[in-house]
Every structure is written in structure tokens, then in C-alpha cells.
Amino acid sequence: MEENAVQTVKPTKRSFVGIVESEKMDKTIVVKITTKKMDRLYKKYVTRTKKYMAHDENNDAHEGDTVRIVECRPLSKNKCWRLAEIIERAK
């Protein structure tokens, strides 16, 4: 092998587990992701929430469902995530 050979490693795609907050758009869901982060000054855990728009090809997910979303290529201005699986249905 050459000395200067560069090994390219494909980065793994990020994935999150969250709750579907809206399904009013066609083939699009809004997923709310909550994380806990330690506050640097007060040393307490603070809950942070962020919303992601995800592509749902078959309109399977409904409000309240727990889902896993995976990063993908940009599908629109705000959508670069897709629905990977529905973990738990809402009751």
C-alpha cells in the first residue's frame, strides 16, 4: 500500500427517539425530541426540547406515537430526517 493512502470512513447517520407532535401535513410529521443537559453554572439538569420535521412516506405515524427518526439527504427546506420505525403507538 502507498504511504499516503487515505482511508475514507463513512460517518454513521444520527438517529433520535421522540414523540410525534403533529401529523397535519402530507407525508410529513413533526417530532419533539427532549434531552437533559447539565447546566454549567448551577449544576442542575435542564430539559431541552427541539422539534424536527421528518418524512413519513406512508402517513403511518399519528400524534402521540413514539418514533425513531434517522438523518437523510435534504428533502425540502426544513426536512432532512425520515421516519425509521414506530416504536410505540399512542393509546
Side-chain angles (χ1 to χ4, degrees):
M1 268 181 70
E2 288 184 29
E3 294 175 22
N4 297 334
V6 178
Q7 205 172 24
T8 58
V9 178
K10 190 173 182 180
T12 58
K13 295 182 180 184
R14 295 183 295 166
S15 69
F16 292 121
V17 175
I19 298 172
V20 178
E21 193 164 87
S22 172
E23 46 133 350
K24 294 175 182 166
M25 295 166 276
D26 185 36
K27 297 187 178 183
T28 303
I29 56 175
V30 178
V31 181
K32 182 171 69 171
I33 309 295
T34 58
T35 57
K36 291 194 177 220
K37 189 170 184 175
M38 174 81 74
D39 186 274
R40 290 169 53 190
L41 178 62
Y42 297 110
K43 307 294 187 233
K44 290 186 176 183
Y45 281 99
V46 180
T47 304
R48 307 272 171 133
T49 60
K50 190 167 181 180
K51 294 180 186 176
Y52 293 97
M53 293 179 93
H55 184 69
D56 181 10
E57 183 64 37
N58 301 324
N59 291 323
D60 289 334
H62 302 290
E63 285 187 34
D65 291 354
T66 303
V67 296
R68 179 183 313 282
I69 58 173
V70 178
E71 196 172 30
C72 68
R73 67 181 178 85
L75 300 168
S76 70
K77 178 184 172 185
N78 298 321
K79 223 173 25 169
C80 59
W81 297 86
R82 66 175 172 80
L83 177 68
E85 64 174 317
I86 298 172
I87 297 172
E88 185 181 340
R89 294 279 184 186
K91 294 182 170 123

